[in-house]
Amino acid sequence: MERYSPAAEKNKGPILEVLRERLAPTARVLEVGSGAGQHALHFTEALPTLRWQPTEHPAVLPALASNLATAGRVAILPPLVLDLAADSWPTGPFDAVYAANVMHIVSVSLGEALLRGAASVLGAGGQLLLYGPYRFEGAFTTESNAEFDQWLKARDPASGVRDFEAVAAVAEAVGLVLEDNRAMPSNNQLLCFRREARA
Ligand SMILES: C[S@@+](CC[C@H](N)C(=O)[O-])C[C@H]1O[C@@H](n2cnc3c(N)ncnc32)[C@H](O)[C@@H]1O
């Protein structure tokens, strides 16, 4: 598998348990930043009636497409390009938008583009599920997350662990109401938002 992520392998089990609770069996899910496709493969193996739409930045799409083609999973649609910087999203509506470990990789403005784009493609009552580390009231939840933030910024100064409150405020402004802020293993959170009905 190209671009295999050990972290994705470790967190896929606990995330699946939350998806089981929150997603209808035939939910149409749009994944942003699918990476190697490990989450798409794991979740659709356990929940084979989902319709999972993986996406990636154009630079990563070929590796993702190659990994997914090998598996030939019916529940996974052919992966599409989604570059948050280009702001062109697949046509919805989707029942859920899922992004794992993307908010701290992209800049603050691209993170906001993710929230806006998710709100635009979700049907009323649809969910945005964001997995990753966050800061709360300006503080890291652990020393290891503070070190991770330093490591991210040394690599790309525009990246970094985001403030939960800032993400939740932008989400609310675009019509996404926070329903759950769930602590997950390895000092991560799963933020679960629900799309309000449009006026
Ligand atoms: C840390 S990886 C997470 C991959 C996967 N979701 C996982 O949990 O293993 C972050 C992902 O964000 C994607 N990404 C970075 N910039 C992006 C952009 N502008 N638009 C869409 N995806 C982007 C990267 O290609 C990468 O696959």
Side-chain angles (χ1 to χ4, degrees):
M1 171 176 274
E2 296 177 58
R3 301 182 75 94
Y4 173 86
S5 159
E9 214 50 34
K10 204 166 134 197
N11 57 36
K12 67 185 188 181
I15 298 173
L16 171 62
E17 292 318 308
V18 182
L19 298 191
R20 275 189 206 284
E21 274 175 41
R22 300 194 65 97
L23 296 181
T26 57
R28 293 156 297 174
V29 184
L30 176 69
E31 182 180 17
V32 180
S34 299
Q38 288 156 265
H39 283 176
L41 289 166
H42 186 67
F43 302 154
T44 56
E45 184 175 12
L47 305 169
T49 54
L50 289 179
R51 277 162 291 161
W52 195 275
Q53 176 62 72
T55 70
E56 252 302 341
H57 187 277
V60 177
L61 193 74
L64 171 65
S66 154
N67 292 343
L68 296 176
T70 309
R73 185 74 48 76
V74 172
I76 304 180
L77 298 166
L80 298 175
V81 165
L82 199 176
D83 178 0
L84 293 169
D87 229 8
S88 65
W89 284 62
T91 306
F94 291 91
D95 300 307
V97 172
Y98 170 77
N101 294 315
V102 174
M103 290 298 273
H104 60 267
I105 294 295
V106 300
S107 65
V108 169
S109 67
L110 292 192
E112 291 176 1
L114 196 167
L115 298 168
R116 272 198 315 276
S120 75
V121 298
L122 284 171
Q127 304 181 65
L128 170 63
L129 306 172
L130 292 179
Y131 175 87
Y134 289 89
R135 300 197 313 168
F136 291 87
E137 297 178 350
F140 293 98
T141 55
T142 59
E143 188 52 35
S144 65
N145 276 3
E147 287 165 9
F148 180 52
D149 182 65
Q150 289 300 308
W151 179 85
L152 286 167
K153 290 193 164 95
R155 222 173 119 257
D156 174 4
S159 66
V161 174
R162 303 300 170 209
D163 286 312
F164 160 77
E165 294 82 4
V167 170
V170 174
E172 192 178 337
V174 297
L176 296 166
V177 177
L178 183 73
E179 271 192 355
D180 196 7
N181 164 14
R182 190 163 319 192
M184 301 292 285
S186 308
N187 314 310
N188 285 295
Q189 310 293 131
L190 189 55
L191 306 186
C192 306
F193 299 90
R194 179 88 58 183
R195 181 77 175 90
E196 284 177 325
R198 289 171 175 81

